[in-house]
Amino acid sequence: MSSIDATEEPEVGAEATDDSANVMIQFDGVVKQFGDNVVLRELDFSVSPGEFVTLIGPSGSGKTTILRLLMTLEKVNGGTIQVDGEYLSHMYRGDKLVPADEKHLTKVRKRIGMVFQQFNLFPNMNVLQNITEAPIRVLGLPKSDAEERAKDLLDMVGLGEKVTAHPTQLSGGQQQRVAIARALAMRPDVLLLDEVTSALDPELVAGVLNVLKEIASTTDITFLCVTHEMGFAKDVSDRVLMFDQGQIIEDASPDKLFTEPEHERTREFLHAVIDRA
Amino acid sequence: MWSWELFWDSFSALLPGLWITFAATVCGALLAYVLGLVFALIRQVRVPVLSQITFGLVEFIRSTPLLVQIFFFYWVVQPWMGVQWSAFWSGTIALGLHYACYTSEVYRAGIDAVPKGQWEASTALSLPRRRTWTGVILPQAIPRVLPALGNYTISMFKETPLLLAIGVIDIVGAAKDFGADHYSVEEAYTMAGIFFLVLSFPSSILVRRLERRFVKH
């Protein structure tokens, strides 16, 4: 496959998708490569509003890259990404679609939240400050409103008594729950979960997953989740996408994918993961 | 012939020089801390033109002796700028500028040591670039570099006698004058050495404690 230059115009129509009301995330022919290593090969997929979609697949198959592209932590090398009908990686200049500038990225990025594998809480701030920092600085919320919302979120994730604690005083599971509250404080339309339990001790995993199940069932947030927790994926997902070598090789409901996978590669992967567990 | 009387007399005679040494160290260190941070930020943010100029300045200053820079600043740069500062201020600025080039590298190392995930979390929260620097990155980077800044301050304190070359009467200058007045130099120079030792040694211990504290955390 030939590489596609980031400055090249995407081969799509000048208009965003017309059926954007039914699509929250849309990938059209997305290519991502690091040097000669092509991680995503003309990837097409979409996610509906409120849907919980889980990405599974072997390491290096491009799952995390998809989340990083959506969070604008990486730039696409080809194709386009839309969030709720608005281009993320590109923008209009006149009637031409060009690579997005920082101002456009910031505008669209506000609608997306991300929870990282390593939590990435700010160690120089306490729990409350971690959660209120962005709502105050980015959304312009009054401090009292931001703090009230942060305390509600901390209660929701079961850490109401940890308001003044610093991240270093919390366990990994508690830090991850604070990170979830921090992402939710921005009231995102899309929440990206990047192997949120991979860095946790096994006994702390359930607490984090229960919080996420609760959020998924009580909000209309669209979730895109990368995980190796197959039980969780089966319980909470509306759809599961199996990735291999930068492409989706199977897209099915969790019941179907985990019980009767169609693709041999999916069967191999599930066997390997379940045997390891 | 050693004289205890001259030795004790030199104590009070050196005190004004101690004040000059202290003032040059404090002012030079403040300049080095602030300017070093500015240099580091210019290079980290890659400000066009300024970044290249800063790189050239840092390499030039790190490759030439401090004594040459003190002379150069006093005899060449000042006239070229059309200003006439006192020897104290000219020397102190040269000292501060010299150490700013070293502290800028220390700040850069501190900034690079902040995990990449902190930048990514700031981006994911849409924090403005300026707030990411002031609220997230620098508050984590600066505590890490405090021990190194402390060590440079002690080095600076011990290098202030170089200002004597342009006529600043610091501790060593005061000792030299005292020796010339009393036709005996060893007592005053011994006292000057004790002054440096008494002030440097506890400072070194303090910096080592700081280092241990930050290594622990």
Side-chain angles (χ1 to χ4, degrees), chain B residues 41-54:
Chain B
L41 289 176
I42 286 172
R43 292 187 65 192
Q44 291 293 114
V45 179
R46 296 196 179 90
V47 182
V49 186
L50 276 181
S51 181
Q52 284 80 2
I53 291 172
T54 306

Side-chain angles (χ1 to χ4, degrees), chain B residues 108-119:
Chain B
R108 269 159 52 86
I111 290 165
D112 286 343
V114 175
K116 194 179 156 205
Q118 296 291 301
W119 289 99

Side-chain angles (χ1 to χ4, degrees), chain A residues 7 37 48 71 76 84 86 96 116 176 238-239 246 257:
Chain A
T7 57
N37 180 26
S48 302
M71 199 62 261
V76 295
D84 202 10
E86 192 163 17
K96 278 193 79 177
F116 297 87
Q176 195 58 294
D238 297 307
R239 262 165 70 211
L257 192 133

